[in-house]
Amino acid sequence: MEKFRFLTSGESHGKCLTAIIEGIPAGLDIDIDFINNELKRRQQGYGRGDRMKIESDTVEIVSGVRFGKTLGSPVTLVIRNRDFENWQKIMSASPDDKTDDKSFSIYRPGHADYAGSIKYNQKDLRNILERSSARKTAIEVAVGAVAKLLLKVLGITGTSEVTQIGTACCPDKFHQEIDLVKEKGDSVGGKFVVVYKNIPVGLGSYVHWDRGIDGRLAQAVMSIPAVKTVEIGDNPLGLCGSQYHDEFEIKDGEVCRKSNHAGGIEGGITNGQDLVISAVMKPIPTMISPLNSVDSQTGENAQAHYERSDVCAVESCAVVAEARVAWILANEILLKYGADSVEELKNRI
Amino acid sequence: MEKFRFLTSGESHGKCLTAIIEGIPAGLDIDIDFINNELKRRQQGYGRGDRMKIESDTVEIVSGVRFGKTLGSPVTLVIRNRDFENWQKIMSASPDDKTDDKSFSIYRPGHADYAGSIKYNQKDLRNILERSSARKTAIEVAVGAVAKLLLKVLGITGTSEVTQIGTACCPDKFHQEIDLVKEKGDSVGGKFVVVYKNIPVGLGSYVHWDRGIDGRLAQAVMSIPAVKTVEIGDNPLGLCGSQYHDEFEIKDGEVCRKSNHAGGIEGGITNGQDLVISAVMKPIPTMISPLNSVDSQTGENAQAHYERSDVCAVESCAVVAEARVAWILANEILLKYGADSVEELKNRI
Amino acid sequence: MEKFRFLTSGESHGKCLTAIIEGIPAGLDIDIDFINNELKRRQQGYGRGDRMKIESDTVEIVSGVRFGKTLGSPVTLVIRNRDFENWQKIMSASPDDKTDDKSFSIYRPGHADYAGSIKYNQKDLRNILERSSARKTAIEVAVGAVAKLLLKVLGITGTSEVTQIGTACCPDKFHQEIDLVKEKGDSVGGKFVVVYKNIPVGLGSYVHWDRGIDGRLAQAVMSIPAVKTVEIGDNPLGLCGSQYHDEFEIKDGEVCRKSNHAGGIEGGITNGQDLVISAVMKPIPTMISPLNSVDSQTGENAQAHYERSDVCAVESCAVVAEARVAWILANEILLKYGADSVEELKNRI
Amino acid sequence: MEKFRFLTSGESHGKCLTAIIEGIPAGLDIDIDFINNELKRRQQGYGRGDRMKIESDTVEIVSGVRFGKTLGSPVTLVIRNRDFENWQKIMSASPDDKTDDKSFSIYRPGHADYAGSIKYNQKDLRNILERSSARKTAIEVAVGAVAKLLLKVLGITGTSEVTQIGTACCPDKFHQEIDLVKEKGDSVGGKFVVVYKNIPVGLGSYVHWDRGIDGRLAQAVMSIPAVKTVEIGDNPLGLCGSQYHDEFEIKDGEVCRKSNHAGGIEGGITNGQDLVISAVMKPIPTMISPLNSVDSQTGENAQAHYERSDVCAVESCAVVAEARVAWILANEILLKYGADSVEELKNRI
């Protein structure tokens, strides 16, 4: 059983998103403003649609925290959907409210609509859209914020940065690239990097394939909606061993490195250098100029359904990745130090 | 609990590598020649060192199979180390055999030596080298071969191909590139692609982050020793939504796609197209021209230990990735179809 | 990963109890009245305290269900605490509300107070009481009710019955026994039996110790607060093999049994007979005539804290056990049949 | 992921039993004589059959240990079947050796034959017998012995004792009871108790049902072949709260208890008292006077197959339970202290 484990739930237009986190040591200070600020960071970014303005997510803590500190019991986080009154009937749990309003049947390429409707035997593709939406990453960021508060106890901090949007590799050109794409009714993806500092030596392991922290990080980042490529450290493609590897040296009596191409992981274990993980996000599949598709009900060619969407969400995606890396690190920290309270954890560092 | 679960063990120069696989349906034909052939494929490849000739791995099945068919009970695979007589004393389990022969203390950059010796509190870096070695991937390939035999029941087949070695993107130049690097006493990595065909629609899911088959595949591939980059389908970097997404069309009354940029996965679920996953392997860190390093015992600068190694192992790495993708697919197949015997599985397809 | 997995949360006097269930096939009819009736069954029983009258638990479904059917996405259940307005400040998540009101420091024997306060480094024993309370079993019963709805698809049904209260083995004497104990300010436990019918042959397995359904059931029942003894089928103590084992015979051309001493499980697998599992619940540790104890703050002898409690909760405990057995069965059913939708499940039975 | 995880394999008459244990901290002294002695303890006991004399199990360590100490890598234990030459053809993995020798088709009541053959779609019941046999507990005891060596680091020690055989509650009468049953060609079960001392406060938890150490212990003990009843501490049936609960008192300035009815666990956590867990083993189902049964091939009534067996194996079962409790404790210790090496573990106690 993982130490830091959790489940999330909630549909895109449902009443709320919920997460239950189990395994957090007792005595951790839960700074709700910090969590809300992480949610805000996720909602920002040039290229986001109007929904972001409606949402302005804030978290409510309904269990596991008393007087600002964790109890050791499961922590429940809730983000209410501020627009729910407009969706109450459409997303109702009650059979009495059944309606075809907002239902659709044309597969959206790039989404889970096609495979999801076959897997779960659903005719109304809304039943797929609602959970496969990236909306669920809001509560994931809240979970990540709690993980970050735990990492803070060890002085570990994380940031992220967008490094490419479409074909633009220079931050000055990002807005211009997005505007251009928006004009065409198209969408665009990009690349970002997540960096965590002050990582202890020895998280993860080479002793068994599923203990490797590189694999665990890759899982967490690759499963973010729209991420298709994950990279740890610098891409070694085209480099020789003598160019790529991070040599050791003694400096002021300490074991040091001359570089960090490996991104802080060798042999599946953290080596004490900065943890560096990059990812490429594909262009958002929902576009104003719709893609060619098929209507699952008529069996005829059709054009994909357009639901209010963003042109570019790479900044947001980077914040989600930052959060997910925090999950993995929090779990590894607790596996390594095994503490039931923050005091105990501090004593073991 | 995973359906297809297993543990592997064994040190690089130990008596044997072992795997126990638990959860294989009963009645599966175990073709030992197929497994041995997969082991052979892993050992081949231009640029491999001499050890490959010594090894010539073959598997022995010591449980879970009777008269060529699985029993439903755990399957145990053993690969004996043919060179063990030369290492018997050095790798002995007995305290009476304690020796410093073959011990070393200079960290090898790019390996787990530094972090591993801190984590596991070891002075002799051989105690790290032995399990962090890529030797353990031999038994992983054997496990993958068993998974492949299960996939065959559903008609699923996999292959892999090297697409780049060092700076050479054209297969005709690969040997030349390796020879060149070898002459310099250096090492080189590369890129490969794994493709599986006949994948059913609906493996994995979007309903919870850890159900995404993209993440699970990424974990399996990224945690292969030396892999630093994983990609599903074509890299979308620089493409607009209208260029990247795989549009649907009706063709001969069937729902078809015009392309497969997504590599067979949308929203964390397989969509019935070919599964395509690529990875970049870093250059092998053990080189004849040694890297600068530090001696952990003297605290002084030193040059890294050289243990017989390869110049390039990208082909081998591709075979390992192929095997690991088979694990993930076998597990997902069993989660989806849930069969206790192969007959039951066939009835549910 | 388990197929039917879930997390629960919530403190005894917190805002609400929550559960997120992940892995339920799509298309399952969720009858909210059935769930509420299960909650009601848990609250009944002679010997329960006044709190039961305040609570009158009802469930709210806030995700995973649309128009009465599951979507395949995580199902979130919430039971609000009807008395929360009286506890809002005392159980507040905010550091600004910190108060010593309702705090206590005398260990209650038979509860987790002593061990919990050491483990989680807590001075105020309320921080232990709140989650270790049996109150959390309310949401567990709701989760069990959802599992029961899944089992209903296969025609599996469960019931439970109290078979002993204190020293009374005859149902006619139960109320009398409870009244007697209540008069003395004491508490009393008892024994109950859970029976599930129409169990398919082949749930669980002997192939690995942790696949045994007997062990999984025992875990689920033994970890109910206050349960100390678990029994599958009839207690074989004192019987010879010839007396205990369930012989086979052919009857009307069918393989039949002459008895069901084994309680439906042989070798860790269900054999198609009724599943029978009994448990003994210890007397409730919170009593009006308080137990001798120690004050953790003063280090002096003291008498245990009394918080409104029941005299006997065996009936309630039986309902909780019934729910937990449903969890295990639902998980095993999904492992065996592996369906993503109820239609698929029906096709595989 | 559990910290102390393992898989076991092997058929009753197969070449060997194997276990891979993953997650043991580095630097643990592996005393092979201790492991072998535990194996010997399992084989002893009045009432065991002749096979015990043939077997005389000893363990071989083929990975994870070097010069007497664990490396942190997976530990592989092998117990060879000394009688294998007589079974080589019958249990062969090769399709070329297919034979009906030693096959049988009459269900043995009390065994997994009936359910197992349906589940795994097998005609030859030997394919069920071989893995469902209690023979596999030999390697489980070896795994438990390794766990015990880890527990020893914390000063935790375990023992077990038979408390009842058949109807005999007095040890003086045990042999007589067994002789009597043997004469009749019958078999007999009994009850035993396992006690572990020096348990730290705070293993397990009340925060989530599956963290309760009571449930985990119950799973481990109930899933031992033939165990049908598990009890933690004294059976509370018939006792009032004032009689059962373990009151606290201050004695010489220390918090003490006046009794240990709870068996060392309150609210799912260890409370520092001795851990006491009892179980009832059913009579061995294979008896010389055979049970009535059915032939699965002819569909007619028949008498159960007799394979060399024991009359009573309660002592052996107690040793297995002792081993399994050690697994659970080792895992909980590592979850709580989280150490990667024994030195680290010692520092955290």
Side-chain angles (χ1 to χ4, degrees):
Chain A
M1 185 187 316
E2 301 299 346
K3 291 284 287 188
F4 183 88
R5 61 177 175 161
F6 61 92
L7 290 172
T8 71
S9 67
E11 282 71 43
S12 181
H13 300 94
K15 190 172 192 176
C16 58
L17 300 168
T18 309
I20 299 178
I21 318 175
E22 203 278 316
I24 306 173
L28 181 68
D29 287 309
I30 296 297
D31 177 348
I32 202 162
D33 294 338
F34 176 78
I35 305 176
N36 286 334
N37 193 53
E38 293 290 291
L39 292 177
K40 200 174 167 188
R41 287 180 64 217
R42 176 188 159 277
Q43 291 188 283
Q44 286 169 345
Y46 199 78
R48 304 302 307 277
D50 295 337
R51 187 171 179 187
M52 293 302 106
K53 289 159 200 161
I54 301 168
E55 286 169 357
S56 185
D57 293 327
T58 56
V59 79
E60 187 187 346
I61 300 174
V62 301
S63 86
V65 177
R66 192 172 175 223
F67 306 152
K69 284 182 185 294
T70 54
L71 294 170
S73 52
V75 172
T76 307
L77 307 175
V78 176
I79 298 174
R80 304 205 179 274
N81 175 5
R82 300 200 172 209
D83 193 28
F84 184 59
E85 59 190 290
N86 297 321
W87 288 84
Q88 204 154 358
K89 287 276 171 184
I90 293 155
M91 293 305 296
S92 168
S94 165
D96 305 334
D97 291 327
K98 198 161 178 6
T99 170
D100 280 340
D101 193 12
K102 298 277 183 189
S103 77
F104 72 100
S105 60
I106 301 169
Y107 304 125
R108 296 166 308 150
H111 281 291
D113 296 0
Y114 173 74
S117 62
I118 293 172
K119 183 181 178 89
Y120 295 111
N121 195 33
Q122 298 293 324
K123 282 187 182 168
D124 181 358
L125 300 181
R126 174 154 306 281
N127 291 343
I128 308 306
L129 173 150
E130 285 290 332
R131 181 65 186 165
S132 61
S133 158
R135 172 72 190 138
K136 65 176 167 284
T137 59
I139 196 77
E140 291 177 356
V141 166
V143 173
V146 172
K148 280 185 159 191
L149 291 171
L150 182 67
L151 297 178
K152 231 175 81 177
V153 174
L154 288 87
I156 302 171
T157 54
T159 55
S160 59
E161 201 183 349
V162 175
T163 56
Q164 186 169 342
I165 295 287
T167 57
C169 297
C170 164
D172 294 351
K173 301 280 171 66
F174 289 170
H175 287 202
Q176 194 184 321
E177 180 89 2
I178 293 167
D179 291 341
L180 208 71
V181 166
K182 190 175 186 176
E183 267 172 44
K184 291 194 244 170
D186 213 328
S187 67
V188 74
K191 190 170 181 176
F192 58 85
V193 61
V194 172
V195 179
Y196 273 80
K197 288 173 180 294
N198 279 320
I199 304 287
V201 174
L203 303 181
S205 185
Y206 57 83
V207 294
H208 206 263
W209 78 275
D210 53 1
R211 296 255 182 227
I213 196 170
D214 42 6
R216 291 178 161 240
L217 289 166
Q219 178 187 15
V221 176
M222 186 67 96
S223 55
I224 297 172
V227 167
K228 301 296 281 189
T229 296
V230 177
E231 205 166 284
I232 291 174
D234 296 326
N235 191 333
L237 200 58
L239 301 178
C240 285
S242 58
Q243 297 168 306
Y244 174 79
H245 292 292
D246 303 312
E247 298 186 313
F248 291 92
E249 62 181 346
I250 291 289
K251 220 169 156 175
D252 303 331
E254 297 286 307
V255 177
C256 292
R257 300 281 194 146
K258 297 175 180 175
S259 55
N260 182 20
H261 297 306
I265 301 174
E266 286 168 311
I269 321 189
T270 57
N271 62 15
Q273 298 217 83
D274 288 354
L275 187 71
V276 181
I277 182 160
S278 307
V280 176
M281 185 196 186
K282 72 182 184 185
I284 287 170
T286 308
M287 291 141 47
I288 293 178
S289 301
L291 293 160
N292 289 316
S293 187
V294 158
D295 187 317
S296 60
Q297 295 312 307
T298 65
E300 284 172 12
N301 289 324
Q303 289 203 312
H305 173 83
Y306 177 71
E307 185 134 326
R308 188 181 46 188
S309 184
D310 308 320
V311 169
C312 177
V314 183
E315 273 186 71
S316 172
C317 191
V319 174
V320 175
E322 214 185 293
R324 286 178 170 222
V325 170
W327 303 343
I328 303 298
L329 290 172
N331 191 42
E332 291 290 340
I333 290 291
L334 293 175
L335 280 170
K336 185 170 178 52
Y337 297 100
D340 292 314
S341 70
V342 167
E343 292 71 19
E344 200 168 46
L345 180 58
K346 283 180 181 164
N347 287 339
R348 289 180 186 173
I349 300 172
Chain B
M1 188 187 314
E2 300 300 346
K3 290 284 286 189
F4 183 89
R5 60 176 176 161
F6 61 93
L7 290 173
T8 71
S9 66
E11 282 72 41
S12 182
H13 300 93
K15 189 172 194 176
C16 58
L17 300 169
T18 309
I20 299 178
I21 319 176
E22 203 278 315
I24 305 174
L28 182 67
D29 286 310
I30 297 297
D31 177 348
I32 202 163
D33 294 337
F34 177 78
I35 305 176
N36 285 334
N37 193 53
E38 292 290 292
L39 293 177
K40 200 173 166 188
R41 288 180 63 215
R42 175 188 160 276
Q43 291 188 281
Q44 287 170 343
Y46 199 79
R48 303 303 307 276
D50 295 336
R51 186 169 181 189
M52 293 302 105
K53 289 159 201 161
I54 303 168
E55 287 170 356
S56 185
D57 294 327
T58 55
V59 79
E60 188 188 345
I61 300 174
V62 300
S63 86
V65 176
R66 192 173 175 223
F67 306 151
K69 285 183 185 292
T70 55
L71 293 169
S73 53
V75 173
T76 308
L77 306 175
V78 176
I79 298 174
R80 302 203 182 276
N81 175 4
R82 300 195 173 213
D83 193 26
F84 185 57
E85 59 190 291
N86 297 320
W87 288 85
Q88 205 154 357
K89 286 277 171 183
I90 293 155
M91 294 305 295
S92 168
S94 165
D96 304 334
D97 292 327
K98 199 163 178 6
T99 169
D100 280 341
D101 192 12
K102 298 278 182 189
S103 77
F104 71 101
S105 60
I106 301 169
Y107 303 125
R108 294 166 308 151
H111 280 291
D113 297 0
Y114 173 73
S117 63
I118 293 172
K119 182 180 180 92
Y120 294 111
N121 195 34
Q122 298 294 323
K123 282 186 183 169
D124 181 358
L125 299 181
R126 174 154 307 279
N127 291 343
I128 308 307
L129 172 151
E130 284 290 334
R131 180 67 187 164
S132 61
S133 158
R135 172 73 191 137
K136 65 176 168 281
T137 59
I139 197 75
E140 292 176 356
V141 166
V143 174
V146 173
K148 279 184 160 192
L149 290 171
L150 182 67
L151 297 178
K152 229 174 83 177
V153 175
L154 289 88
I156 302 171
T157 54
T159 54
S160 60
E161 203 182 348
V162 175
T163 56
Q164 186 168 342
I165 295 287
T167 56
C169 297
C170 163
D172 294 351
K173 302 279 171 67
F174 290 171
H175 287 203
Q176 194 184 321
E177 180 90 2
I178 293 167
D179 290 341
L180 208 72
V181 166
K182 192 176 184 174
E183 268 172 44
K184 291 194 243 171
D186 213 327
S187 66
V188 73
K191 190 169 181 175
F192 59 84
V193 61
V194 172
V195 179
Y196 273 80
K197 289 176 180 295
N198 278 320
I199 304 288
V201 174
L203 303 181
S205 185
Y206 56 83
V207 294
H208 206 262
W209 78 275
D210 53 1
R211 295 256 181 225
I213 195 169
D214 44 4
R216 291 178 160 239
L217 289 166
Q219 179 187 15
V221 176
M222 187 68 96
S223 55
I224 297 172
V227 167
K228 301 297 282 187
T229 296
V230 177
E231 205 164 284
I232 291 174
D234 296 325
N235 191 332
L237 199 59
L239 301 178
C240 286
S242 57
Q243 298 168 305
Y244 175 79
H245 292 292
D246 302 313
E247 297 186 313
F248 290 93
E249 63 180 348
I250 291 289
K251 220 168 158 175
D252 303 331
E254 297 285 307
V255 177
C256 293
R257 299 280 194 148
K258 299 174 179 177
S259 55
N260 182 20
H261 297 306
I265 301 174
E266 287 167 310
I269 321 190
T270 56
N271 61 17
Q273 299 216 83
D274 288 353
L275 187 71
V276 181
I277 182 159
S278 308
V280 176
M281 187 197 185
K282 71 181 186 186
I284 287 171
T286 309
M287 290 141 47
I288 293 178
S289 301
L291 294 161
N292 290 316
S293 186
V294 158
D295 187 319
S296 60
Q297 295 311 307
T298 64
E300 283 172 14
N301 289 325
Q303 288 203 310
H305 172 83
Y306 177 72
E307 184 135 326
R308 189 181 44 187
S309 184
D310 308 320
V311 170
C312 176
V314 183
E315 272 185 71
S316 172
C317 191
V319 174
V320 175
E322 215 185 293
R324 287 178 169 221
V325 170
W327 303 343
I328 303 298
L329 289 173
N331 191 43
E332 291 290 339
I333 290 291
L334 293 174
L335 280 170
K336 184 168 178 55
Y337 298 99
D340 292 314
S341 69
V342 167
E343 292 72 20
E344 200 168 49
L345 179 59
K346 282 179 182 165
N347 287 337
R348 289 180 186 172
I349 299 171
Chain C
M1 186 187 315
E2 301 300 345
K3 291 284 287 189
F4 183 89
R5 60 177 176 161
F6 62 91
L7 290 173
T8 71
S9 67
E11 282 71 42
S12 181
H13 300 93
K15 190 173 191 175
C16 59
L17 300 169
T18 308
I20 299 178
I21 317 176
E22 204 277 316
I24 306 174
L28 181 68
D29 287 309
I30 297 297
D31 177 348
I32 202 163
D33 294 337
F34 176 77
I35 305 175
N36 286 334
N37 193 54
E38 292 290 291
L39 293 176
K40 200 172 166 188
R41 287 180 64 215
R42 176 189 160 275
Q43 291 188 283
Q44 287 169 343
Y46 199 78
R48 304 301 307 277
D50 295 336
R51 188 171 179 188
M52 291 304 104
K53 290 160 199 159
I54 302 168
E55 287 170 356
S56 182
D57 294 326
T58 55
V59 80
E60 188 187 346
I61 300 174
V62 301
S63 86
V65 177
R66 192 174 176 222
F67 306 152
K69 283 182 186 293
T70 54
L71 294 169
S73 52
V75 172
T76 308
L77 307 174
V78 176
I79 298 173
R80 303 207 179 273
N81 175 3
R82 302 202 170 205
D83 192 29
F84 185 58
E85 60 189 291
N86 297 321
W87 288 85
Q88 204 154 359
K89 286 278 171 184
I90 292 155
M91 293 305 296
S92 169
S94 166
D96 305 334
D97 292 327
K98 198 162 179 4
T99 169
D100 281 340
D101 192 12
K102 299 275 184 191
S103 76
F104 71 101
S105 60
I106 301 169
Y107 303 125
R108 295 167 308 150
H111 281 292
D113 296 1
Y114 173 73
S117 63
I118 292 172
K119 181 180 178 93
Y120 294 112
N121 195 33
Q122 299 293 323
K123 283 187 181 167
D124 181 358
L125 299 182
R126 174 154 305 281
N127 291 343
I128 307 307
L129 173 151
E130 284 290 332
R131 182 65 187 165
S132 60
S133 157
R135 172 73 189 137
K136 63 176 168 285
T137 60
I139 197 76
E140 292 177 356
V141 166
V143 173
V146 172
K148 280 185 160 192
L149 290 171
L150 182 67
L151 297 179
K152 229 174 83 177
V153 174
L154 288 89
I156 302 171
T157 54
T159 54
S160 59
E161 201 182 348
V162 175
T163 55
Q164 186 169 343
I165 295 287
T167 56
C169 298
C170 164
D172 294 351
K173 301 279 171 65
F174 290 171
H175 287 203
Q176 194 185 322
E177 180 89 2
I178 293 167
D179 290 342
L180 208 72
V181 166
K182 190 175 186 176
E183 268 171 45
K184 293 194 241 168
D186 212 326
S187 66
V188 73
K191 189 169 182 176
F192 58 84
V193 61
V194 172
V195 179
Y196 273 79
K197 288 174 180 295
N198 279 320
I199 304 289
V201 174
L203 303 182
S205 185
Y206 56 83
V207 294
H208 206 264
W209 77 275
D210 54 1
R211 295 253 182 228
I213 195 169
D214 44 4
R216 292 178 160 239
L217 289 166
Q219 178 187 16
V221 176
M222 186 67 96
S223 55
I224 297 172
V227 167
K228 301 297 281 188
T229 297
V230 177
E231 203 166 286
I232 291 175
D234 297 325
N235 192 334
L237 200 57
L239 301 178
C240 285
S242 57
Q243 297 168 306
Y244 175 79
H245 293 291
D246 303 313
E247 297 186 310
F248 290 93
E249 62 180 347
I250 292 289
K251 219 168 159 176
D252 303 331
E254 298 285 307
V255 178
C256 293
R257 300 279 194 149
K258 299 176 180 175
S259 55
N260 182 21
H261 297 306
I265 301 174
E266 287 167 309
I269 321 188
T270 56
N271 61 16
Q273 298 217 80
D274 288 353
L275 187 71
V276 181
I277 183 161
S278 307
V280 176
M281 185 196 185
K282 71 182 185 186
I284 287 171
T286 309
M287 291 140 47
I288 292 178
S289 302
L291 294 160
N292 290 317
S293 186
V294 157
D295 187 318
S296 60
Q297 296 312 308
T298 64
E300 285 172 11
N301 289 325
Q303 289 203 311
H305 172 82
Y306 178 71
E307 184 134 326
R308 187 180 47 187
S309 186
D310 307 321
V311 169
C312 175
V314 183
E315 271 187 71
S316 172
C317 191
V319 173
V320 174
E322 214 186 294
R324 287 178 170 223
V325 170
W327 303 345
I328 302 300
L329 289 173
N331 191 43
E332 291 290 340
I333 290 291
L334 293 174
L335 280 170
K336 183 167 179 55
Y337 297 100
D340 292 314
S341 69
V342 167
E343 291 72 19
E344 201 168 45
L345 179 58
K346 283 179 182 165
N347 287 337
R348 289 181 186 172
I349 298 171
Chain D
M1 188 186 316
E2 301 300 345
K3 292 285 285 188
F4 182 88
R5 61 176 175 161
F6 62 92
L7 289 173
T8 72
S9 67
E11 281 72 41
S12 181
H13 300 94
K15 189 173 193 175
C16 59
L17 300 168
T18 309
I20 300 178
I21 318 176
E22 203 278 316
I24 305 173
L28 181 67
D29 287 310
I30 297 297
D31 178 347
I32 201 162
D33 294 336
F34 176 78
I35 305 176
N36 286 334
N37 193 53
E38 293 290 291
L39 293 176
K40 200 173 166 189
R41 288 181 62 216
R42 175 187 160 278
Q43 291 189 282
Q44 288 169 342
Y46 198 79
R48 303 302 306 277
D50 295 336
R51 188 170 180 187
M52 292 302 105
K53 289 159 201 161
I54 302 168
E55 287 169 354
S56 183
D57 294 326
T58 56
V59 80
E60 188 188 345
I61 300 174
V62 301
S63 87
V65 177
R66 194 173 174 221
F67 306 151
K69 285 183 185 289
T70 55
L71 293 169
S73 51
V75 172
T76 308
L77 306 175
V78 176
I79 298 174
R80 302 205 182 273
N81 175 5
R82 302 202 170 207
D83 193 28
F84 185 57
E85 58 189 294
N86 297 320
W87 288 85
Q88 205 154 356
K89 286 278 170 180
I90 293 156
M91 293 305 296
S92 169
S94 165
D96 304 335
D97 292 327
K98 199 164 177 5
T99 171
D100 281 340
D101 193 13
K102 298 276 182 190
S103 76
F104 71 99
S105 60
I106 301 169
Y107 304 125
R108 296 167 307 151
H111 280 293
D113 296 0
Y114 172 74
S117 64
I118 293 172
K119 182 180 178 92
Y120 295 111
N121 195 35
Q122 298 294 323
K123 282 186 182 168
D124 181 358
L125 299 181
R126 175 154 306 280
N127 291 342
I128 308 307
L129 173 152
E130 284 290 331
R131 181 66 186 164
S132 61
S133 158
R135 172 74 189 136
K136 63 176 169 283
T137 59
I139 196 76
E140 293 177 356
V141 166
V143 173
V146 173
K148 279 185 160 192
L149 290 171
L150 182 68
L151 296 178
K152 229 176 83 178
V153 174
L154 289 87
I156 302 171
T157 54
T159 54
S160 59
E161 201 183 349
V162 176
T163 56
Q164 185 168 344
I165 295 286
T167 55
C169 297
C170 164
D172 294 350
K173 302 278 171 69
F174 290 171
H175 287 202
Q176 192 185 325
E177 180 90 2
I178 292 168
D179 291 340
L180 207 72
V181 165
K182 192 175 184 176
E183 268 171 45
K184 292 193 246 170
D186 212 327
S187 66
V188 73
K191 190 169 181 177
F192 58 84
V193 61
V194 173
V195 179
Y196 273 78
K197 290 177 179 294
N198 278 321
I199 304 288
V201 174
L203 302 182
S205 185
Y206 56 84
V207 294
H208 206 264
W209 78 275
D210 54 0
R211 295 257 182 225
I213 196 170
D214 42 6
R216 291 176 161 242
L217 290 166
Q219 179 188 15
V221 176
M222 186 67 95
S223 55
I224 297 172
V227 167
K228 301 297 281 188
T229 297
V230 178
E231 205 165 284
I232 292 174
D234 297 325
N235 191 333
L237 200 57
L239 301 178
C240 285
S242 57
Q243 298 167 305
Y244 175 79
H245 292 292
D246 303 312
E247 296 186 313
F248 290 93
E249 62 180 346
I250 291 290
K251 219 168 159 176
D252 303 330
E254 297 286 307
V255 177
C256 293
R257 299 281 194 148
K258 299 175 179 175
S259 55
N260 183 21
H261 297 307
I265 301 175
E266 287 167 311
I269 322 188
T270 56
N271 62 16
Q273 299 216 82
D274 288 354
L275 187 70
V276 181
I277 182 160
S278 308
V280 176
M281 186 196 185
K282 70 181 185 186
I284 286 171
T286 308
M287 291 141 47
I288 292 178
S289 301
L291 293 161
N292 290 316
S293 187
V294 157
D295 187 318
S296 60
Q297 295 311 308
T298 64
E300 285 172 11
N301 289 326
Q303 288 203 312
H305 172 84
Y306 177 71
E307 185 135 326
R308 190 180 45 189
S309 185
D310 307 320
V311 169
C312 176
V314 183
E315 273 186 71
S316 173
C317 191
V319 174
V320 175
E322 215 186 293
R324 287 179 169 221
V325 170
W327 303 344
I328 303 299
L329 290 172
N331 191 43
E332 291 290 340
I333 290 291
L334 293 174
L335 280 171
K336 184 168 179 56
Y337 297 100
D340 292 314
S341 69
V342 166
E343 293 71 19
E344 200 168 47
L345 179 59
K346 283 179 182 164
N347 287 337
R348 289 180 186 172
I349 299 170

